[in-house]
Amino acid sequence: MSWAQGILLARGLSRGWGGICSTALTGVPFSQGPPQAPRGLHCSTAAHNPDSSLVPRPPEPPRGPVKALAPHVELFRQAPDGVRDKASFVQAVQNFTQYNVHKRGHVDFIYLALRKMREYGVERDLAVYNLLLDIFPKEVFRPRNIFHSIFLHYPRQQECGIAVLEQMENHGVMPNKETEFLLIQIFGRKSHPMLKFVRMKLWFTRFKNIDPFPISRDLPQDPVDLASLALRHMEPDLSARVTVYQMPLSKDSRDATDPTEPHIIGIQSPDQQAALAHHDPARPIFVEGPFSLWLRDKCVYYHILRADLLPPEERLDLAYGRSSWDDYEFNINEVEEGPVFAICMAGAHDQATLAKWIQGLQETNPALDRIPVVFRLSGSSGELLASSSGLEEPPLTPPEGQEEEENNQQRQQQSQS
Amino acid sequence: MALVHKLLNGTYILRKCLKPSVASCPFLGTRSADYCSSSLEKPAAAPGKASSQRKTEGNLEGHHQREVALDITSPEDKPEVSFDKAIKEEIKDHFRRLKNDIVNHWIGPEGRPLHEVLMEQAKVVWQFRGKEDLDKWIVTSDKAIGGRSEVFLKMGKSNRSALLYGTLSSEAPQDGESDRSGYCAMISKIPRGPFERKTFYDWSQFNTLYLRVRGDGRPWMVNIREDMDIIQRKDQMYSYFMFTRGGPYWQEVKIPFSKFFFSNRGRIRDAQYQLLLDKISSIGFTLADKVDGPFFLEIDFIGVFTDPAHTEEFAYENSPELSPRLFK
């Protein structure tokens, strides 16, 4: 019975190495050593002798020194002026299949291609994933009898299939019928990649629309469009109006964030306009910011115009009448903050730009010229940390403390004179 | 005290503790080793945690081993705390709590009269109005497995909210086995009774979770863990997503408990069961949206209430393809 024990041990080892998709799976490719053509038990050994193949193959391309860790990297190396896009990626994949009829080392190649996808910008393209799955030889890895299906049949190839699906899952790509057909052809219906496909189909459809504030994946590149999208995203009042106070310089100057003319876009709703008109001119209002907002993977910064809370004695206390049975109020005083009058997004975060915003606001809010405006331009309560390299518009680093009061009336007089 | 320790130790034999020294110190308040999957290393230091560690410093008994993590704070505490006095005060405090517990049991559940508990339809479970409220939470990040994310928790503006902020970095740790990384989490501590006995929250009359938060547009994940005193289930939790809007306005997030899906060891399980609310141990918020950069989340309070319009019991059906055994 030693052979049975040997098989069980092998099965245990392969499972222990993370072979099943339900345990933690690593994406690190397993270096298989010299790439072997997959041999099924049913194939005769004579057919795998490459020298005696019946189909005349083109000569092997001269291969450079092959490193043990990256067997097919030279397929992705290209001329210095070559652009990395979908066409060249597809070309590299086709090169592999062309020069390698028996698909030797296809598992390593697929892992390498999965790593290279981000460079070529195709990580969200379903057709490319189907092309990668197409590299697998068909019908070879399907279990044919009960012994195949009990033991994990072709574990490395199944893990590779799962890795492809997992990268699809990470980037939010939904597989389609072609993927399903390919998986059935390659691995069979009861295999682990097929199980993962079923799970993806189920959970993706369940969670597709759960975001109450959805943003599309392709964000606009133009900063003005992006800013207006972000402002509309933040403001729940649908009757609010977005106003562009200043456009950036035209494209031929090649500088969208020119410090002399950054874009300034603001949003204000009619309720906020009315509240600002009723605001007591004796109390100052504050321009606070910059605060960060994330849209998918882009971070933008905005400023707000707000007033402080009224002291308790002047506040209106609306006591809601409660019915005797139902009481859905929480027994806590919620955090109250002063009313927000307007929000804006600008290309620069300094006081001059924001002063231009206030001037723009004055056209629709004539009450604003009597109210003193204080600029508080620090990131409040530590929300803003040192900008990382992925951020688009880094905040102004020098002023960490609070800036002093700037009376709006004086500024107006200066600009008018 | 030795008798109580032996009794408590007896229950700990049932659980597979990674560090036996943790099991022998039942008075530690900051025990995250039991239920955090990232607990193999020390949790990331947060200001709220450090203060609670200092508080429980004094109640270590002489014959227990000292935890390595506490040695960081002990040199500062030596001149302040007198060992024997602190132990005596802690013992008295525990006995007082035990007496209150027994007396409250006669008044009603949790010390409130029964009719008040039954008629309650909205309850505030966690609020953030002072530093001691921050002590009920633990913050972790993937620093525990060697990543680069940082996370901090502090009180927000004018002490009226809590601010969870930090930087997320999805750079994978170079330990040869992980290829993805980048998460930050804030988890509530398990509620403790007298003598650090584990208790739980009973939310069986409520059906919706209510959060008043102000985020920055990032999607968070809310995780609920059940009390696992009898059955060893430290890897299982129920989760759902919380999408923040961003912007200067406070956002009310209402998540019905029927929407939480079940996961084991970080993977969604095929056979789904609904979340049973009678033994809730802790709640947590996780950020792992694969986008590098700073983040923040301000939380005003967390409560539970009964939404009379919500009649769904469980949102996810089991499919015969994925779990055939359920359909035999």
Side-chain angles (χ1 to χ4, degrees):
Chain A
M1 283 297 129
S2 58
W3 63 267
Q5 284 170 356
I7 289 177
L8 282 171
L9 183 65
R11 170 192 172 203
L13 282 175
S14 73
R15 272 178 204 253
W17 287 336
I20 312 179
C21 67
S22 56
T23 56
L25 186 70
T26 69
V28 176
F30 304 88
S31 56
Q32 293 174 302
Q36 301 272 338
R39 287 176 178 233
L41 289 172
H42 58 284
C43 291
S44 64
T45 46
H48 283 272
N49 195 349
D51 293 330
S52 66
S53 66
L54 300 171
V55 176
R57 278 189 296 134
E60 296 267 12
R63 292 199 177 183
V66 176
K67 289 182 270 202
L69 291 172
H72 299 288
V73 170
E74 66 278 359
L75 282 166
F76 283 97
R77 215 174 286 142
Q78 34 176 218
D81 56 345
V83 66
R84 297 186 156 204
D85 63 348
K86 181 174 171 180
S88 45
F89 189 88
V90 170
Q91 184 62 38
V93 169
Q94 278 168 356
N95 281 347
F96 173 81
T97 48
Q98 239 179 335
Y99 289 124
N100 210 336
V101 174
H102 296 287
K103 313 269 176 66
R104 291 207 182 103
H106 59 275
V107 172
D108 284 324
F109 179 73
I110 291 177
Y111 279 124
L112 174 70
L114 285 175
R115 282 199 302 266
K116 293 271 179 187
M117 265 178 146
R118 196 170 259 265
E119 282 174 30
Y120 286 73
V122 289
E123 70 264 11
R124 292 221 301 269
D125 198 339
L126 180 60
V128 173
Y129 283 109
N130 285 341
L131 193 71
L132 278 188
L133 278 178
D134 208 17
I135 297 176
F136 281 108
K138 316 287 183 297
E139 312 281 345
V140 180
F141 307 137
R142 292 172 73 158
R144 273 158 221 268
N145 50 38
I146 185 139
F147 300 107
H148 287 169
S149 40
I150 290 174
F151 303 110
L152 189 66
H153 200 49
Y154 283 104
R156 302 286 158 254
Q157 279 77 7
Q158 288 210 14
E159 281 159 17
C160 186
I162 292 169
V164 174
L165 287 171
E166 192 162 338
Q167 193 169 34
M168 262 203 264
E169 184 187 7
N170 282 343
H171 290 284
V173 177
M174 176 82 185
N176 65 355
K177 281 214 171 301
E178 197 188 328
T179 324
E180 184 178 4
F181 182 67
L182 276 167
L183 286 174
I184 296 177
Q185 236 189 352
I186 300 169
F187 293 111
R189 207 174 273 277
K190 299 278 174 118
S191 59
H192 290 283
M194 195 56 206
L195 257 185
K196 184 168 173 78
F197 170 82
V198 171
R199 283 182 192 125
M200 275 168 87
K201 209 165 61 157
L202 179 70
W203 291 103
F204 273 21
T205 44
R206 275 180 181 163
F207 292 144
K208 193 164 173 212
N209 297 320
I210 53 170
D211 191 348
F213 319 113
I215 302 181
S216 75
R217 275 213 179 249
D218 16 290
L219 293 168
Q221 295 299 320
D222 180 27
V224 176
D225 287 339
L226 184 67
S228 63
L229 175 76
L231 287 172
R232 283 231 168 268
H233 181 78
M234 282 195 291
E235 178 63 57
D237 196 341
L238 288 172
S239 53
R241 271 184 25 233
V242 175
T243 334
V244 179
Y245 297 107
Q246 189 172 283
M247 289 288 286
L249 285 180
S250 57
K251 292 275 164 52
D252 49 345
S253 67
R254 277 259 155 234
D255 193 3
T257 54
D258 192 358
T260 55
E261 275 249 5
H263 60 275
I264 306 176
I265 302 161
I267 190 170
Q268 195 182 37
S269 72
D271 290 342
Q272 287 170 335
Q273 255 182 311
L276 191 51
H278 291 300
H279 186 81
D280 180 16
R283 323 186 76 248
I285 54 178
F286 305 97
V287 173
E288 286 178 6
F291 302 109
S292 60
L293 172 77
W294 283 90
L295 296 167
R296 288 269 172 199
D297 54 348
K298 284 211 179 126
C299 186
V300 291
Y301 294 90
Y302 63 94
H303 296 260
I304 56 178
L305 183 70
R306 70 141 38 110
D308 267 346
L309 273 180
L310 296 173
E313 50 270 9
E314 292 176 30
R315 244 177 270 174
L316 292 172
D317 199 8
L318 304 164
Y320 296 100
R322 289 184 192 164
S323 63
S324 52
W325 286 115
D326 286 335
D327 177 14
Y328 296 109
E329 304 282 324
F330 284 98
N331 191 13
I332 186 174
N333 293 325
E334 294 176 342
V335 169
E336 283 170 7
E337 287 178 356
V340 174
F341 295 123
I343 315 175
C344 94
M345 278 198 183
H349 302 275
D350 57 333
Q351 202 161 317
T353 325
L354 294 169
K356 281 192 203 159
W357 171 48
I358 302 286
Q359 282 170 4
L361 265 183
Q362 274 180 298
E363 291 161 27
T364 45
N365 303 281
L368 201 54
D369 59 351
R370 283 171 308 175
I371 308 174
V373 176
V374 179
F375 286 82
R376 278 200 214 146
L377 290 179
S378 56
S380 57
S381 28
E383 295 152 3
L384 212 54
L385 302 178
S387 60
S388 65
S389 53
L391 299 181
E392 206 186 49
E393 302 170 11
L396 200 57
T397 37
E400 276 302 332
Q402 291 188 7
E403 303 214 359
E404 275 314 306
E405 177 170 337
E406 168 88 28
N407 202 326
N408 207 22
Q409 297 169 349
Q410 288 174 358
R411 197 159 257 269
Q412 247 200 322
Q413 286 163 6
Q414 279 166 11
S415 60
Q416 279 170 2
S417 63
Chain B
M1 193 52 61
L3 177 65
V4 172
H5 161 66
K6 280 209 188 79
L7 282 172
L8 287 170
N9 235 0
T11 60
Y12 285 124
I13 289 169
L14 290 175
R15 49 179 95 236
K16 301 176 221 143
C17 263
L18 296 163
K19 289 189 189 173
S21 60
V22 177
S24 66
C25 299
F27 299 111
L28 281 177
T30 61
R31 198 153 5 152
S32 60
D34 289 341
Y35 62 94
C36 276
S37 57
S38 57
S39 59
L40 288 169
E41 323 288 329
K42 304 167 200 167
K49 260 187 71 327
S51 61
S52 65
Q53 274 180 352
R54 242 175 268 130
K55 253 197 317 203
T56 56
E57 251 291 308
N59 54 3
L60 282 179
E61 309 208 2
H63 61 281
H64 290 306
Q65 292 173 359
R66 279 207 179 207
E67 258 297 347
V68 176
L70 293 179
D71 279 347
I72 302 170
T73 54
S74 57
E76 310 161 7
D77 285 342
K78 268 184 193 135
E80 301 168 5
V81 170
S82 140
F83 211 59
D84 293 329
K85 195 169 118 204
I87 290 178
K88 283 200 189 95
E89 278 191 19
E90 195 68 29
I91 294 171
K92 273 191 239 160
D93 184 47
H94 279 300
F95 273 115
R96 198 180 322 126
R97 280 160 75 182
L98 181 64
K99 179 208 69 160
N100 286 340
D101 233 26
I102 296 172
V103 166
N104 288 341
H105 191 67
W106 288 105
I107 304 174
E110 294 155 30
R112 294 183 304 162
L114 185 65
H115 65 87
E116 201 185 294
V117 171
L118 282 181
M119 299 290 284
E120 195 178 32
Q121 279 160 328
K123 176 171 157 184
V124 175
V125 190
W126 285 281
Q127 59 185 12
F128 296 97
R129 296 289 181 265
K131 270 266 181 265
E132 61 277 358
D133 295 321
L134 288 185
D135 289 344
K136 295 184 191 149
W137 294 83
I138 297 177
V139 269
T140 50
S141 71
D142 70 345
K143 271 219 167 96
I145 54 169
R148 301 261 181 98
S149 320
E150 296 174 335
V151 63
F152 309 100
L153 178 66
K154 67 173 199 184
M155 287 306 288
K157 271 191 276 206
S158 65
N159 266 8
R160 302 280 295 169
S161 56
L163 179 68
L164 178 74
Y165 66 99
T167 320
L168 197 71
S169 152
S170 57
E171 201 184 309
Q174 308 278 337
D175 57 356
E177 59 170 354
S178 21
D179 64 329
R180 287 181 295 160
S181 178
Y183 69 89
C184 296
M186 175 166 125
I187 307 155
S188 76
K189 291 189 188 160
I190 306 178
R192 301 268 168 189
F195 301 111
E196 305 293 330
R197 190 169 149 257
K198 262 209 236 185
T199 56
F200 46 85
Y201 299 106
D202 182 7
W203 295 337
S204 32
Q205 318 149 275
F206 308 106
N207 68 357
T208 317
L209 182 70
Y210 178 99
L211 303 129
R212 190 154 189 261
V213 296
R214 184 161 63 178
D216 54 349
R218 287 203 175 199
W220 290 75
M221 192 147 144
V222 181
N223 308 317
I224 295 184
R225 283 186 194 252
E226 285 188 318
D227 183 22
M228 53 201 132
D229 216 9
I230 300 174
I231 309 170
Q232 174 64 1
R233 282 192 301 197
K234 71 175 158 83
D235 301 320
Q236 297 175 352
M237 64 185 181
Y238 294 83
S239 343
Y240 199 66
F241 305 101
M242 170 173 85
F243 292 94
T244 50
R245 186 183 206 139
Y249 304 111
W250 282 95
Q251 181 189 353
E252 298 176 350
V253 178
K254 294 181 196 163
I255 308 177
F257 287 118
S258 63
K259 296 278 188 200
F260 281 81
F261 57 85
F262 185 55
S263 62
N264 179 19
R265 302 203 75 183
R267 304 258 168 180
I268 302 184
R269 228 176 64 167
D270 289 337
Q272 288 288 326
Y273 300 110
Q274 72 173 102
L275 169 63
L276 297 171
L277 293 153
D278 55 344
K279 283 201 173 195
I280 303 284
S281 166
S282 72
I283 198 174
F285 303 100
T286 308
L287 177 70
D289 62 345
K290 305 175 205 132
V291 174
D292 295 346
F295 65 89
F296 72 89
L297 182 76
E298 265 188 82
I299 311 176
D300 180 11
F301 70 92
I302 299 169
V304 284
F305 75 106
T306 323
D307 189 355
H310 186 80
T311 48
E312 191 185 39
E313 289 207 359
F314 189 49
Y316 308 110
E317 282 181 334
N318 288 314
S319 85
E321 218 177 321
L322 280 177
S323 33
R325 278 191 214 150
L326 293 176
F327 288 85
K328 280 213 185 113

